[in-house]
Amino acid sequence: MKKSWLYGILALVILVLCSALAMYLHVQGQQQAIKEKGSELALTRTQMNEVTFVDTYYGKQDYIVVEGKTESGEKLVAWFHGDQGEVEKMSRLVPKENVLKALGKDHPSMQLIHIIPAKQDNKKVWEVLFTEGDIFHYYYIDMYNGKLMKAYKLPKKLPEMNT
């Protein structure tokens, strides 16, 4: 009788582990597909001949964001949404290093999660996500002038609800 319980628990643990592994592999496959699609779009629709960064920006509209270089070494960033794309020269933008340096002055203990070229209401911004203590900070910085456009703070843990 005890053996059947142990076998049942063992089977349940194996099932949970296999499900978690399948989900992890599925997500990794989706991320790889996005990177491949972003690289292909950048290499075929822009002057980029080298891709250095691909990610997805999830906002009001989702964009595949690609950073890369031209044959002459000029740095570009491109946003792709469906069949539409937009390219900008990085030399026209406030460098991400400057954005991080400025934020670091106000938030010296920040732990950067990501900084990504984003688009909010057709405005090009740096989306900076970092933690400081128990707070997630989302900052949206105008890519042309470095001014703060929006900022959000979210607690890492949701407050416990008393019922």
Side-chain angles (χ1 to χ4, degrees):
M1 179 97 168
K2 288 184 181 183
K3 283 186 181 182
S4 63
W5 277 98
L6 287 175
Y7 290 136
I9 291 173
L10 182 60
L12 184 62
V13 168
I14 290 172
L15 179 67
V16 168
L17 290 175
C18 287
S19 297
L21 179 61
M23 184 182 302
Y24 172 79
L25 292 174
H26 176 71
V27 168
Q28 290 297 331
Q30 285 182 327
Q31 288 178 340
Q32 186 61 33
I34 287 170
K35 287 183 180 189
E36 288 172 6
K37 182 177 181 181
S39 293
E40 178 187 336
L41 288 168
L43 294 172
T44 59
R45 294 188 179 186
T46 71
Q47 295 177 346
M48 287 183 209
N49 71 337
E50 178 187 345
V51 172
T52 58
F53 172 85
V54 180
D55 205 345
T56 305
Y57 168 70
Y58 299 99
K60 290 180 182 175
Q61 279 191 319
D62 297 346
Y63 293 93
I64 296 176
V65 181
V66 183
E67 292 181 39
K69 296 178 184 177
T70 65
E71 196 170 310
S72 64
E74 182 176 37
K75 294 179 181 178
L76 302 175
V77 60
W79 294 265
F80 296 102
H81 177 75
D83 292 337
Q84 298 183 4
E86 192 173 345
V87 181
E88 184 64 78
K89 294 177 181 181
M90 293 293 269
S91 61
R92 296 187 59 211
L93 307 174
V94 173
K96 67 175 101 179
E97 294 80 13
N98 293 11
V99 170
L100 293 174
K101 189 175 180 181
L103 283 174
K105 289 179 183 177
D106 293 333
H107 303 278
S109 62
M110 74 180 216
Q111 298 293 313
L112 182 67
I113 296 173
H114 79 226
I115 180 168
I116 185 171
K119 286 181 73 176
Q120 289 256 325
D121 302 322
N122 291 321
K123 292 186 180 188
K124 296 172 184 145
V125 298
W126 289 109
E127 178 189 67
V128 185
L129 171 59
F130 64 92
T131 61
E132 189 173 40
D134 290 337
I135 305 289
F136 284 108
H137 295 264
Y138 285 87
Y139 275 64
Y140 295 90
I141 311 291
D142 187 294
M143 292 182 101
Y144 293 104
N145 60 27
K147 292 185 180 178
L148 176 66
M149 293 180 64
K150 291 180 186 177
Y152 301 99
K153 293 180 184 181
L154 300 170
K156 281 186 180 179
K157 283 185 165 182
L158 293 175
E160 292 185 26
M161 300 181 85
N162 296 327
T163 56

